[in-house]
Amino acid sequence: MARERSAPFGGRVQFRTGDAFALDFPDQSFDLTVCRHMLQAVPEPERVLAEMKRVTRPGGRLHVVAEDYGMIHCHPCAIDADRFWREGPIALGKSTGTDLHGGRKAFHWLHELGLDELRVDYAILDTVRVERGVLGDIFDAWRDGYTEVIAAHSRFSEAEVRASFEAIASSFRDPGAYGVWLLPILSARVP
């Protein structure tokens, strides 16, 4: 689908499979390097950012969407959603060596790499700006994809994980409830 949609750009767009810890490009290859929705899924995300810096030319920019599972809230909800995120997915991250609080840490990581013109903006995915059904569907998809692995790496049973995701999805769909997922979007310049 991506190749089809990018066909009008010809050879300017390529798709490759690679290793984010060892990008297969020479130093200073790009004016813009982008990483979206990935840092929370790998150990040592700072190494990925260092690789992005390496392949970005001086004056070029890094663009990073860094998820943070502590920035998802809803009320009212049939469960304590904050506790679920903390003791479910966050426990999974600790068990697998990944950091599901990377969104709040990414500014520091970019600063430590010596980047400048750091900026943090937020995509506010909430029940005022986004259709409730779309948000509910996101949590249904997470339920379907992550229930088993969260249960294997947390104190929750599969039934408890499934019920928690369903309660969160229901809250986001409820016209009398408010739900929000704050999604940090960072940019920085390579000096």
Side-chain angles (χ1 to χ4, degrees), residues 78-139:
I79 60 147
D80 181 345
D82 292 334
R83 179 174 171 243
F84 169 71
W85 293 115
R86 187 176 57 253
E87 296 178 12
I90 301 303
L92 164 65
K94 287 179 182 177
S95 176
T96 60
T98 59
D99 190 342
L100 278 70
H101 284 145
R104 68 190 70 185
K105 298 174 182 177
F107 182 96
H108 175 73
W109 296 335
L110 294 169
H111 179 267
E112 289 296 299
L113 288 171
L115 301 175
D116 61 21
E117 296 182 18
L118 276 73
R119 179 181 173 124
V120 181
D121 293 294
Y122 286 86
I124 302 171
L125 306 171
D126 74 351
T127 52
V128 174
R129 294 166 180 82
V130 179
E131 287 182 41
R132 289 176 178 278
V134 170
L135 294 166
D137 290 350
I138 289 170
F139 297 109

Side-chain angles (χ1 to χ4, degrees), residues 64-81:
V64 178
V65 176
E67 293 187 26
D68 190 313
Y69 288 68
M71 296 185 185
I72 304 170
H73 308 283
C74 57
H75 182 80
C77 186
I79 60 147
D80 181 345

Side-chain angles (χ1 to χ4, degrees), residues 20-21 35-49 52 64-72 85 88-106 109 138 142 146 149-150 181-186:
F21 296 106
C35 177
R36 298 182 56 179
H37 304 280
M38 193 273 281
L39 292 179
Q40 80 282 356
V42 297
E44 301 179 81
E46 305 95 317
R47 288 181 49 212
V48 172
L49 296 172
M52 291 174 66
V64 178
V65 176
E67 293 187 26
D68 190 313
Y69 288 68
M71 296 185 185
I72 304 170
W85 293 115
I90 301 303
L92 164 65
K94 287 179 182 177
S95 176
T96 60
T98 59
D99 190 342
L100 278 70
H101 284 145
R104 68 190 70 185
K105 298 174 182 177
W109 296 335
I138 289 170
W142 289 4
Y146 296 110
V149 71
I150 290 171
W181 176 16
L182 299 172
L183 192 57
I185 302 170
L186 300 96

Side-chain angles (χ1 to χ4, degrees), residues 3 14-25 38 42 48 51:
R3 282 185 181 89
Q14 299 175 15
F15 295 92
R16 295 185 185 184
T17 301
D19 182 348
F21 296 106
L23 296 172
D24 189 23
F25 298 103
M38 193 273 281
V42 297
V48 172
E51 269 298 279

